[in-house]
Amino acid sequence: MTAAAQLASGKGYKDENFPVASALLKREHRAPVMAFYRFARAADDVADNETASADEKLALLGAMRATIAGTHDADAPSVALRETMAGHDLSAQHAFDLLTAFERDCSIDRYADWPALIDYCRYSAMPVGRYVLDVHGEDPATWAANDALCAALQVINHLQDCGKDYQAIGRVYLPLDVLAAHGAEVSDLGKPVATPQLRAALRDLVARTEILLVRSAGFARAIRDRRLAIEVAIIHRLARDLTLRLKTHDPLSQRVHHGKAEMFGLATLAAAAQLVKGRG
C-alpha cells in the first residue's frame, strides 16, 4: 500500500486562501493548530490525488483514522495530532469528522442541492474552526457562527476551483439543482470560459455564501481571546472580498485568489477595525 506521504501535494499553510496559525495567535496555541493543519493537509492530499484508486485512498484514510483512535501508528501526522490532542485534553471528534469528509470525497463526486453541500461542509470545514476554538478554550456557544463562516470559506474554495476540480479529478461540488435552475451543464466546467448559464449559477451560489457571511458577522466579537478574534476578523474580511470578486470574475479563465500584497492590505484594515471594536 502506498504511504500517505507519497501522495503529498507539496502544498503548505502559506499556500492557503486564509491565514493558518498566523503570528497573531499566542505561541502556545500555534503548535496545536499546526498539528491539526498538517493532519488535514495530509488527508486532503490523499483524497484529491489524481492517480491513486478510491480503494487505496480509503485504506490510507482508514489508517489515519485508526492512528487517531490509538489502534495504529501508521501515519506520522496522525500520531503527532493524537499526541497533541492528548497533551492539551482536546477531543478527537473534530479529526474523525474531518476524515469523514475526505472519505466521502473518495466515493461521492456530485452534490444534489445546497443542503447536501452544507452537510459536506459540516465535516470538511466546520470541525477545523471548532478545533481551533477548543484549543483556545472558547465557549461552544461560538460554534454556530464558526460553522457559518467555515462553510462560507469552503464554498468559496469550491467556487474558485470549480473548473480545476472537474477537469483534474471529475469532482463537482456545485449543487446540481442550482446548475439546472440556470440552464448550466456539468460539462460547462470543462470549458475555457464560463458560459452565461454557469456564471448565473455561480452568482446564485455567491449570494447564498454571502448569507453565511452575514450569519457569522458577529463571530469575532464573541471570541474572548483577543488575538484569535483579530484573526477571525481578518478571515471574514478576506472572505467578503472574495465573494465580491467571484461576482465579477470568471473562475475558469480569471484569477479569483488574493495576491500576497493584497491579502496583507485587507488583513491590516480588518485587524485595525477589530482593534477599534475591541476598545468599544
Side-chain angles (χ1 to χ4, degrees), residues 119-143:
D119 184 66
Y120 172 77
C121 294
R122 159 66 185 86
Y123 295 95
S124 67
M126 298 176 193
V128 178
R130 292 181 181 186
Y131 174 88
V132 173
L133 290 169
D134 282 359
V135 166
H136 286 77
E138 296 291 332
D139 192 328
T142 58
W143 282 14

Side-chain angles (χ1 to χ4, degrees), residues 4 37-49 57 61 64 75 77-78 98-99 102-103 105-106:
Y37 172 78
R38 294 187 185 101
F39 163 79
R41 169 49 47 207
D44 195 10
D45 286 348
V46 169
D48 286 353
N49 188 269
K57 293 177 183 180
L61 293 171
M64 296 182 77
D75 179 71
S78 301
L98 194 62
L99 286 172
F102 294 130
E103 288 161 352
D105 281 338
C106 297

